[in-house]
Amino acid sequence: PRRATTSAPRRLREKLRTAARMAGPPAHTAPGSRQQVQGGERRAEPATGDPPARETRAPFRFDYERFRRSLRHPVRGRRAGEDPETRSRRMKIKEMMKFAWDNYKQYALGKNELRPLTKNGHIGNMFGGLRGATVVDALDTLYIMELEEEFQEAKKWVEKSFDLNVNGEASLFEVNIRYIGGLLAAYYLTGEEVFKSKALELGEKLLPAFNTPTGIPRGVISLGRQDTRPYEHVILLLGMSWSWGWASAGSSILAEFGTLHLEFLHLSELSGNPVFAEKASTSRCLVMNIRKVLNRVEKPQGLYPNFLSPVTGNWVQHHVSIGGLGDSFYEYLIKSWLMSDKKDSEAKKMYDDALEAIEKHLVKKSAGGLTYIAEWRGGILDHKMGHLACFSGGMIALGAEHAREERKQHYMELAAEITNTCHESYERSDTKLGPEAFRFDAGTEAMATRLSDRYYILRPEVVESYMYMWRLTHDPKYRQWGWEVVKALEKHCRVEAGFSGIRDVYTTSPTHDNMQQSFFLAETLKYLYLLFCEDDVLSLDDWVFNTEAHPLPINHTDFKASVQQ
């Protein structure tokens, strides 16, 4: 396509500067980063004639006060009429959160995660030089639990020490769900501008990942020196991104490129800056383009394989999983529809069609009567279910609430059966905590058969489903199951300086893995706390949770406002 006229960059630079001044500070750049490459153009439309006079428009701002007034319930609820036992259990979970935070603060503040046995911090290589993953992941949990002093400590660290001027290789997926999601949620809950400005600044650094022939982003992004150059009909994204070395034939991962929609739409909502979500001259979004590619490619048996080429837009392998590599793609379809206040009909249809194919081809029942979701490898079923797939009980229940009347009860029963199976994977272990994966073959049901699957790393997916099932049915067994998890965590995972995962759930004296995962504070403890809250605390009428349990608001109305300077 033809480039825009030479004056177009100047015009739009002025527009972007105006938007950036209102939305937050520009992204920093770091010297000495990888050599940049210039990417392709985004379906440019030809420019004709003389350039028009520079457009002037009022700066953008997000009307936060109007947004808060639109919420149907107080964020922390009204705490009316609860029984003493429920309150006592909730307070115990709050104490666990304070214990986890206090030890992180004492021994690892500024690092990404706490090593509780050795009482030091862990940085890891997922976040491209970013620090403080536990801080950002914990912000909204601290706020919701009314741990006011601890929340202020976390906020102060973000204000004073959270440096985005880094140069490293980061997981697009992990940075998005943990950092972008955590900062967005903290802003929506508190209105503190520092969280919004950090989210927008970091969001800009993720844009080069979309710079592929199909617009399907690659999994790894350099957070070093980058530039976003806007033109009237073209956006050039400069920077480095590449696929994971282990991903088949340079493919992108379904659960990674399919888990951007919620956060990126909110980046656009808060910034008013089309660079985040909209192409310069159209209403099509970068993340909406992902759906376009997926709707165009043929789905085997209606299923979505886990590996897609960002170059050709074709599947690379026919491996289908509702657990790792696939999981949150499906979650974000139903939640995109809910977040749009049920206006995003494309997302709802994609979810309904996918669930129908999953039920037809992957949902099975064991000889002992347990319902599970198998994996699919080129038409051959692998009768195992990962802990990660246990989120699906809650997802199916959430979708059932909004299904056609004749299907609603069916899907609620399916959700209950899957959640029960995941509970059985906990119940059948010696620690009453579940393994990383469990199988249904050779006489085995809901138990790990391989040594490499016997560990538990403080994962949240089972208690996530308990929380949704409680809110949607009020069956007391889900609170009881959740309390059993609390007791097991206290008995087997709590150590002198925090909480640690364990290497074998089938022994009553397990070895600890010396890692307090950031998602333990973001998800596991948050979902347990909400399980023992009234329904109006982070009400499902007002919020959807991203896949790291960060609450993002449902768009009940338009909160954009233009203000005159």
Side-chain angles (χ1 to χ4, degrees), residues 141 396 477 547:
T141 309
I396 293 169
K477 73 181 179 185
T547 201

Side-chain angles (χ1 to χ4, degrees), residues 458-482:
L458 307 176
R459 286 205 187 275
E461 291 77 21
V462 172
V463 296
E464 174 183 355
S465 283
Y466 293 170
M467 189 278 290
Y468 281 111
M469 294 302 297
W470 162 256
R471 287 220 171 168
L472 297 171
T473 70
H474 287 165
D475 186 330
K477 73 181 179 185
Y478 296 113
R479 278 185 164 173
Q480 186 55 42
W481 291 355

Side-chain angles (χ1 to χ4, degrees), residues 530-550:
L530 292 174
L531 178 61
F532 293 97
C533 285
E534 295 301 308
D535 293 355
D536 59 355
V537 180
L538 288 180
S539 168
L540 299 181
D541 293 336
D542 287 323
W543 305 89
V544 296
F545 294 93
N546 88 337
T547 201
E548 191 81 359
H550 295 307

